[in-house]
Amino acid sequence: MISIRNINKTYGKKGDITALSNINLEVERGELYGLIGPDGAGKTTLFRILTTLILPDSGSAQVMDYDVVVQYPQIRKIVGYMPGKFSLYQDLTVQENLSFFATIFNTTIRENYHLIEDIYVQLEPFKNRRAGALSGGMKQKLALCCALIHRPEVLFLDEPTTGVDVVSRKEFWEMLKRYKEAGITIFVSTPYMDEATLCDRIALIQEGKILDIAKPKDLIEDFQPGVFAVKTAEMNRAKNELQSLDENVEAYHFGEYMHVVTENNHLTPKAISDFLDKRGHQEVIIKRTTPTVEDVFMNLMKHASTTTT
Amino acid sequence: MQQLIAFIKKEIYHIARDRKTLLVLIGMPIVQIALFGFALSNEVKNTKLYVIDQNKDEMSVRFIEEVQASQYFDVVGYGEDVGDVDRILRSGVSQISLVVPPSFSSDLRHVNQANLQLITDAINPNVAATINAYITAISRDFRNTEMGDLKLPYTINVETRMMYNPQLKGEFAFVPGVIAMILMIICVLMTSVSIVKEKELGNMEMLLVSPTSPAIVIISKAIPYFVLSLLIISIILLMSTTILQVPIRGNIFLLYGVSSIFIITSLTLGLLISTLTNSQEIAMLISLMGMLLPTIMFGGFMFPIESMPKALQIMSNIIPAKWFYYAINDIMIKGLGWSSVYREVLILLGFTLLYMGISLKKYEIRLS
């Protein structure tokens, strides 16, 4: 469906800013594929190469067996693209935007109404409001409608949930699941690690390099280091002290807790609590917890940086 | 076709909903015509005149009345001492002093010749020269009426006939100029900004990832501005014929035809600018500094090209507005027909093809 081989892309006059380096990945038909990574990892660059908006420096990529460089007109007909930045016409109403995008893809709202019905009913009360005056979540729903209105084979969603409230994010992912079931291949990027588990498969990307590609479940199951959730009265001090405990120990904030990840299996909850007690920490809570995608990512990132430097 | 209609509809929404810009677009020609028509003028009228009459007899009084009676001068004060002149000029009471010497009427009667002294503030040389010409004309008329038909030996009388504009009305020159300028602003500035805006706001990103062809995007931008420009020309023509009484002597269809060609030239120029830049500010700057300013300077309606140095005269040929100005002048004011403007029309078409060629070559099918 989508296949990417050895894609490289640099920016800057001398090509000294590397955006993507040697990217390889395959997306199967009907998959909900997540590209997970922090801001500046190269997600948008990869999306723009796949949607034929920019050219790679080297390597090749195909979408539905069409080459992104040579056969770009075919690709532009069959993909739905939702850019990371809200790109609809702000001075046009919801209704006008939707019918405009339907027409330029040679279709009508009525023809594919069944596809967008679920979202559109939520937008209906605001259909005469200008797109610029919608809330963040509504804007994204409208943009999704516009990207879907021509029933694309592949849907490219570049950070669709950035800047959207928790409830709308959840709704958004439920919709994506439904479109996946309707047979549309979805390639989505997000900086939110918690959304990774909602994908069939994910690629973790950092500084233009793919760190790992796996099913989220496998990624977590295969994660070797132990993960502890720790809470104390003085979180920051505890974090810094734990970090210096052992070179194999990583500690970082995770919600109201902090996660202490250790590749040294001798480190037990008892050892951590003794360590913290000795330094006078109060209200210490320690529990073993199952790793999350974020823990995996942090671990991979640490290894990537130690191998490169 | 459906796509094109959708695009044009979208463009009309953009224009209609941007009320402020639309108001400026419609209001600008009206204000300019009114300004040029009533306020700004290179004719010299109602100049404040200070009179020092040292002759003070019935003839000199009659002469001063003659000066006063013309609409060009207002006598603001009388004096006797030539020494006052400097003070009067400095104080700003008047820019011009007329000294009638004591021997004025006797000289005129006996030698058929008298001298007047005119002291003018020549900071603006054009005004000073014009005033001088007016006084000369008035005094000549005065002599002729006073003396009757004198058989003077060897006189040469120059009979000037002001063709096409016998009253020397400034409106005749600036109405075509305003049309050229306004079209330049609307077509070049508005198209370039509106295309670059789509790039800047990311709309272009969506349009590129769609089956639309670039041609449709561009044509749909051009059509509404084309119609808007014709509407604005009509407003200008209506105002200038009714309020300013500038005639349209030539064929009105030819006038609109030539204007349409100039609009297309300007639209393609706007398109060219939009393909060369990615930000609205730069597009605006190029349109204003790079296009509008040369249009005003070398378009021929503000400063006569014939009096420029040779190098600038040659340079002025690359300003499309100059050719349009010539053509529209020929049609509107001189009432000439197709045979006298076809050269200008061909040149404008040449510019259009050139701009179109470069923009198509430069048009980005991807993000840059």
Side-chain angles (χ1 to χ4, degrees):
Chain A
M1 196 71 194
I2 302 172
S3 87
I4 303 169
R5 274 189 202 91
N6 304 320
I7 288 277
N8 284 287
K9 178 75 187 173
T10 55
Y11 287 118
K13 274 216 175 73
K14 292 175 226 142
D16 43 4
I17 304 155
T18 307
L20 294 174
S21 95
N22 218 24
I23 302 286
N24 282 287
L25 63 85
E26 298 279 335
V27 178
E28 304 294 327
R29 178 178 284 273
E31 231 181 344
L32 173 53
Y33 198 101
L35 185 64
I36 319 287
D39 293 344
K43 301 190 296 291
T44 299
T45 305
L46 187 58
F47 268 75
R48 285 183 170 171
I49 289 174
L50 292 176
T51 50
T52 77
L53 284 168
I54 54 175
L55 297 172
D57 294 342
S58 64
S60 66
Q62 280 92 38
V63 175
M64 288 278 289
D65 296 327
Y66 294 120
D67 186 88
V68 292
V69 178
V70 186
Q71 293 166 301
Y72 70 89
Q74 283 91 333
I75 294 179
R76 289 178 180 187
K77 279 181 202 144
I78 53 159
V79 303
Y81 174 45
M82 186 174 152
K85 196 175 118 194
F86 183 69
S87 297
L88 302 179
Y89 292 101
Q90 312 246 4
D91 54 346
L92 260 53
T93 65
V94 169
Q95 181 79 33
E96 286 160 357
N97 264 301
L98 195 55
S99 70
F100 173 72
F101 282 100
T103 317
I104 68 168
F105 279 97
N106 298 312
T107 180
T108 56
I109 298 178
R110 191 173 305 158
E111 202 174 321
N112 285 315
Y113 186 72
H114 60 279
L115 258 180
I116 57 160
E117 192 177 357
D118 292 340
I119 322 174
Y120 194 70
V121 289
Q122 299 178 43
L123 286 166
E124 191 105 53
F126 312 109
K127 70 177 186 187
N128 291 321
R129 190 183 284 191
R130 294 194 188 174
L134 290 175
S135 68
M138 281 295 171
K139 273 183 182 164
Q140 295 307 81
K141 281 172 193 163
L142 175 61
L144 184 62
C145 273
C146 291
L148 273 167
I149 192 69
H150 59 293
R151 204 198 179 288
E153 298 287 336
V154 194
L155 198 53
F156 287 100
L157 308 172
D158 190 9
E159 299 199 12
T161 52
T162 300
V164 173
D165 67 274
V166 183
V167 180
S168 298
R169 269 169 63 184
K170 204 159 159 271
E171 282 176 3
F172 202 89
W173 278 94
E174 274 161 21
M175 283 171 216
L176 292 191
K177 211 175 253 177
R178 246 172 287 152
Y179 293 125
K180 189 200 111 177
E181 277 152 20
I184 297 172
T185 308
I186 302 172
F187 192 50
V188 57
S189 76
T190 177
Y192 301 121
M193 303 289 164
D194 55 324
E195 290 177 346
T197 47
L198 304 167
C199 302
D200 294 336
R201 246 179 350 141
I202 53 174
L204 298 176
I205 186 171
Q206 159 77 5
E207 286 175 354
K209 292 190 192 77
I210 298 281
L211 301 176
D212 202 355
I213 294 173
K215 290 183 177 161
K217 203 167 74 136
D218 294 347
L219 205 63
I220 288 160
E221 278 172 9
D222 295 346
F223 191 62
Q224 294 299 327
V227 180
F228 303 98
V230 176
K231 195 178 175 183
T232 74
E234 291 170 88
M235 291 292 269
N236 276 329
R237 183 162 73 90
K239 194 190 89 172
N240 291 334
E241 283 167 357
L242 281 167
Q243 205 126 37
S244 63
L245 175 69
D246 188 319
E247 63 172 17
N248 288 321
V249 171
E250 278 296 317
Y252 42 81
H253 290 295
F254 198 97
E256 54 174 330
Y257 286 84
M258 72 178 115
H259 274 191
V260 179
V261 178
T262 170
E263 283 168 73
N264 178 355
N265 281 323
H266 299 297
L267 194 67
T268 56
K270 179 86 175 66
I272 297 172
S273 100
D274 286 349
F275 176 81
L276 291 173
D277 278 345
K278 217 181 284 171
R279 277 160 181 78
H281 281 283
Q282 308 279 308
E283 304 165 44
V284 177
I285 305 170
I286 299 168
K287 53 188 182 187
R288 192 177 274 277
T289 178
T290 48
T292 65
V293 175
E294 189 168 343
D295 296 314
V296 179
F297 192 87
M298 294 296 267
N299 193 257
L300 285 169
M301 237 169 73
K302 184 182 149 204
H303 284 286
S305 65
T306 48
T307 48
T308 50
T309 49
Chain B
M1 199 59 208
Q2 285 256 308
Q3 286 191 6
L4 186 64
I5 292 168
F7 265 100
I8 292 175
K9 233 166 77 180
K10 177 204 78 150
E11 219 53 52
I12 292 170
Y13 287 143
H14 286 325
I15 297 171
R17 286 182 189 167
D18 191 355
R19 288 273 160 77
K20 283 181 207 151
T21 310
L22 190 64
L23 202 71
V24 170
L25 286 183
I26 306 270
M28 189 168 51
I30 296 175
V31 170
Q32 284 204 358
I33 288 286
L35 266 181
F36 279 112
F38 301 110
L40 307 175
S41 158
N42 46 13
E43 293 167 49
V44 180
K45 277 184 194 166
N46 306 330
T47 308
K48 289 175 186 159
L49 179 71
Y50 190 76
V51 177
I52 296 165
D53 185 0
Q54 296 170 321
N55 190 20
K56 280 205 170 154
D57 70 356
E58 170 261 344
M59 189 182 267
S60 72
V61 169
R62 206 140 24 91
F63 174 68
I64 290 159
E65 272 170 4
E66 202 71 36
V67 173
Q68 170 91 303
S70 78
Q71 57 171 324
Y72 305 115
F73 298 104
D74 281 342
V75 177
V76 289
Y78 294 92
E80 282 164 20
D81 188 2
V82 184
D84 287 350
V85 169
D86 203 39
R87 185 179 52 82
I88 295 297
L89 266 183
R90 277 168 201 265
S91 69
V93 171
S94 80
Q95 295 89 20
I96 170 164
S97 296
L98 177 69
V99 182
V100 185
S103 56
F104 177 72
S105 43
S106 65
D107 281 355
L108 203 54
R109 281 203 189 92
H110 300 116
V111 216
N112 286 336
Q113 191 177 357
N115 290 320
L116 288 168
Q117 190 184 22
L118 202 59
I119 299 151
T120 57
D121 170 1
I123 287 176
N124 187 335
N126 289 336
V127 173
T130 313
I131 288 170
N132 189 24
Y134 288 154
I135 291 283
T136 312
I138 293 169
S139 58
R140 199 179 51 222
D141 284 353
F142 181 74
R143 190 202 60 192
N144 289 346
T145 47
E146 284 299 302
M147 302 291 122
D149 271 339
L150 276 174
K151 290 282 175 274
L152 290 171
Y154 309 120
T155 43
I156 299 172
N157 287 321
V158 179
E159 282 281 332
T160 314
R161 199 170 154 217
M162 301 294 179
M163 285 289 282
Y164 311 121
N165 186 5
Q167 296 135 291
L168 291 180
K169 284 169 83 177
E171 292 89 333
F172 281 51
F174 78 73
V175 167
V178 167
I179 294 177
M181 209 158 68
I182 299 272
L183 290 186
M184 204 75 188
I185 295 174
I186 297 170
C187 301
V188 180
L189 185 70
M190 296 312 291
T191 29
S192 64
V193 166
S194 88
I195 295 177
V196 172
K197 196 170 166 190
E198 301 230 352
K199 286 194 201 176
E200 219 176 52
L201 295 181
N203 308 133
M204 206 47 111
E205 206 171 329
M206 294 280 289
L207 294 185
L208 283 174
V209 189
S210 79
T212 2
S213 77
I216 287 188
V217 179
I218 288 160
I219 293 170
S220 67
K221 286 269 173 208
I223 289 175
Y225 283 112
F226 183 82
V227 175
L228 190 65
S229 304
L230 285 181
L231 178 77
I232 287 173
I233 290 186
S234 307
I235 295 176
I236 298 177
L237 290 180
L238 203 70
M239 279 186 74
S240 56
T241 47
T242 54
I243 303 174
L244 304 177
Q245 268 119 40
V246 175
I248 299 172
R249 296 206 175 103
N251 186 323
I252 186 122
F253 295 106
L254 185 61
L255 184 65
Y256 271 93
V258 173
S259 303
S260 303
I261 290 167
F262 180 66
I263 293 170
I264 294 167
T265 312
S266 307
L267 288 172
T268 49
L269 184 57
L271 172 67
L272 176 62
I273 293 172
S274 73
T275 58
L276 299 176
T277 167
N278 281 320
S279 92
Q280 290 185 64
E281 283 81 10
I282 294 176
M284 213 177 285
L285 216 64
I286 296 178
S287 308
L288 287 178
M289 303 303 261
M291 301 298 151
L292 195 63
L293 220 58
T295 296
I296 293 171
M297 288 196 294
F298 300 116
F301 43 90
M302 286 274 178
F303 311 106
I305 290 170
E306 290 73 20
S307 53
M308 288 179 188
K310 196 80 197 149
L312 289 183
Q313 286 193 32
I314 293 167
M315 221 183 84
S316 73
N317 289 332
I318 61 164
I319 308 292
K322 175 187 152 177
W323 303 104
F324 173 63
Y325 177 68
Y326 282 178
I328 198 172
N329 237 331
D330 284 353
I331 300 167
M332 239 182 110
I333 311 295
K334 297 189 189 166
L336 301 177
W338 166 248
S339 58
S340 58
V341 295
Y342 78 92
R343 191 177 66 118
E344 281 81 6
V345 168
L346 284 180
I347 291 170
L348 286 177
L349 284 176
F351 276 119
T352 311
L353 287 179
L354 178 74
Y355 297 149
M356 197 113 73
I358 303 175
S359 4
L360 283 182
K361 214 169 143 75
K362 286 267 177 185
Y363 190 85
E364 312 248 5
I365 50 159
R366 298 193 159 84
L367 293 179
S368 47

